[in-house]
Amino acid sequence: MTEFQRICLVHYHEIGLKGHNRSTFEMRLLKNLEALLKPFPVVTIHRIAGRLCVFLREGCDWQTAKDAADLAAQVPGVARVSCGFKCERDLDVMAKAAIDAMAEAGDFDSFKVAARRNHTDFATGSMDMNRIIGSALAGAYPGKRVQMKDPDVTVGVEVVQNAAYVYARSLPGVGGLPVGSSGTVACLLSSGIDSPVALWRLARRGAVCVGVHFSGRPQTSDASEFLVDDIARVLERTGCIARVHTVPFGDCQREIALSAPPPLRIVMYRRLMFKVAERIAQLEGAGALVTGESLGQVASQTLDNIRCTDAAVEMPVFRPLIGTDKLEIIGEAERLGTFEISSQDAPDCCTLFMPRAPETHAKLPVVLEAEAALPVERWVEELVEAAEVRDYACPAYKPKRGRR
């Protein structure tokens, strides 16, 4: 067991480009990490020298530190996480910490040392630190070569005002901005592959995401609702979803299927869903809707049909996957951890009462004429009232006063 206190250095990139409001973004990321790392033995998290340092309890083992770093790397706003140690500002002690850190870096053949001092009250400069600590590592690991360009392991040494931080294992983060720094959005969330990825992309841009799931209940089973809950459990591990409103949509779809021209059913379903989602978004204080649509992927996602559905609402509609093909979306869902859940069969409102030949080039005047015969506004009020709410762990989410 190492004699040094374990730390995780959290590096960020985009936040560092901010101006006078940079501290606001840093504090939001710090608060998110504090909440999401509660299952781990974290003593405190401090801002130091343009990054965040997670201090772990004395005696914390390597596996626990590794698991904490792995989770932190998936939190939006984090560009990179490095596992290492806090030690005294003494070259011999720093060299010993570097040897311990490199022992936990995995298999490697080449290495280099990247040292820097953030305070000139430490007499030894960066170049001399590189040489002294590099020599100690070469002695401790005979047969491993020093390689300045693209080494297998880079040992970082950060000398700050009262301590030094030494690390060797680094892993890339997801980048972006911390959740809670870009307002709130309402995401149409199905149990399929696409919409969880779209939601995650908005969370990665700093938005608090509220899901709106349209269930085929009572015309279908509630299986899709359980899958959406499983998806939300994956997303909440990194604070990417705040709550889900589940809307029992089956009866309204049945009424549309009985009354509307069959080719227009899908567009009319989507318009009603958008209207309901917009009303829920307003209750949540959200500024936009988000969907998982990709241009041309299915009948409802043609340019003409998208135009018809957008016309149902005044709120902006974001489509982060609009230019992404299915294989790219699947790859992202696999990395996110939602693909296997979304691959399970479950009847939902998207497949309920599907016409044989859906319209792919709907015209808005024709759609509005068909819609005029339906009690759309009454349905919207009833569906919003019937929505069931489930909350998830999102440190940045603050429910609107009076909302369930």
Side-chain angles (χ1 to χ4, degrees), residues 89-336:
R89 300 195 317 170
D90 177 279
L91 285 169
D92 290 336
V93 175
M94 289 153 60
K96 175 64 169 64
I99 292 169
D100 286 1
M102 202 144 85
E104 298 177 346
D107 295 332
F108 68 97
D109 293 315
S110 60
F111 73 93
K112 76 172 183 180
V113 178
R116 71 170 186 171
R117 57 177 183 173
N118 291 296
H119 287 270
T120 54
D121 63 347
F122 187 73
T124 309
S126 299
M127 296 297 290
D128 287 335
M129 282 194 287
N130 286 341
R131 179 179 53 80
I132 293 167
I133 295 173
S135 177
L137 289 170
Y141 294 94
K144 307 297 184 182
R145 67 183 186 278
V146 176
Q147 182 173 310
M148 300 310 294
K149 185 176 181 181
D150 297 325
D152 297 329
V153 173
T154 297
V155 178
V157 180
E158 307 267 351
V159 179
V160 295
Q161 190 168 16
N162 298 311
Y165 302 100
V166 182
Y167 55 88
R169 179 183 183 261
S170 289
L171 60 155
V174 298
L177 296 172
V179 172
S181 60
S182 301
T184 302
V185 295
C187 304
L188 279 73
L189 183 63
S190 75
S191 60
I193 296 169
D194 302 345
S195 58
V197 175
L199 183 152
W200 179 82
R201 285 194 178 185
L202 264 293
R204 185 176 171 271
R205 296 309 307 156
V208 173
C209 294
V210 173
V212 183
H213 174 61
F214 291 91
S215 170
R217 174 163 56 90
Q219 299 297 322
T220 69
S221 75
D222 57 359
S224 70
E225 300 172 32
F226 290 99
L227 294 182
V228 165
D229 180 58
D230 289 343
I231 289 168
R233 297 295 176 192
V234 172
L235 293 166
E236 78 166 340
R237 293 173 193 164
T238 50
C240 289
I241 190 166
R243 65 173 24 168
V244 172
H245 297 254
T246 298
V247 181
F249 198 61
D251 284 345
C252 288
Q253 278 196 279
R254 180 176 179 275
E255 291 301 315
I256 292 172
L258 291 172
S259 306
L264 295 180
R265 285 180 194 168
I266 292 177
V267 173
M268 295 177 70
Y269 297 158
R270 297 288 290 174
R271 283 176 57 85
L272 180 56
M273 290 163 67
F274 274 38
K275 286 176 179 290
V276 173
E278 182 181 49
R279 195 67 57 85
I280 291 173
Q282 291 166 346
L283 293 171
E284 290 286 357
L289 303 181
V290 180
T291 81
E293 292 165 302
S294 174
L295 187 62
Q297 187 167 268
V298 295
S300 65
Q301 297 172 20
T302 64
L303 199 56
D304 288 329
N305 288 1
I306 285 173
R307 188 182 300 117
C308 284
T309 53
D310 277 3
V313 296
E314 296 180 0
M315 192 169 281
V317 181
F318 296 157
R319 295 178 170 87
L321 307 181
I322 196 68
T324 310
D325 68 37
K326 195 67 176 185
L327 290 178
E328 292 173 315
I329 298 169
I330 288 172
E332 201 157 323
E334 288 174 334
R335 292 188 292 274
L336 185 58

Side-chain angles (χ1 to χ4, degrees), residues 338-386:
T338 57
F339 177 71
E340 288 189 8
I341 301 168
S342 297
S343 298
Q344 299 177 52
D345 290 330
D348 64 17
C349 66
C350 294
T351 56
L352 187 60
F353 306 119
M354 182 71 71
R356 287 188 178 182
E359 178 62 70
T360 56
H361 299 287
K363 305 304 179 190
L364 184 57
V366 177
V367 173
L368 290 175
E369 183 180 355
E371 195 175 78
L374 302 173
V376 172
E377 289 306 314
R378 176 168 62 81
W379 285 349
V380 170
E381 295 300 327
E382 291 173 354
L383 290 170
V384 171
E385 184 62 30

Side-chain angles (χ1 to χ4, degrees), residues 11-19 21-23 25-26 29 50-51 77 79 176-178:
H11 312 256
Y12 43 80
H13 171 66
E14 192 168 344
I15 295 174
L17 303 177
K18 299 296 180 182
N21 60 347
R22 172 175 164 174
S23 61
F25 288 84
E26 289 176 326
L29 180 57
R51 64 209 65 194
L177 296 172

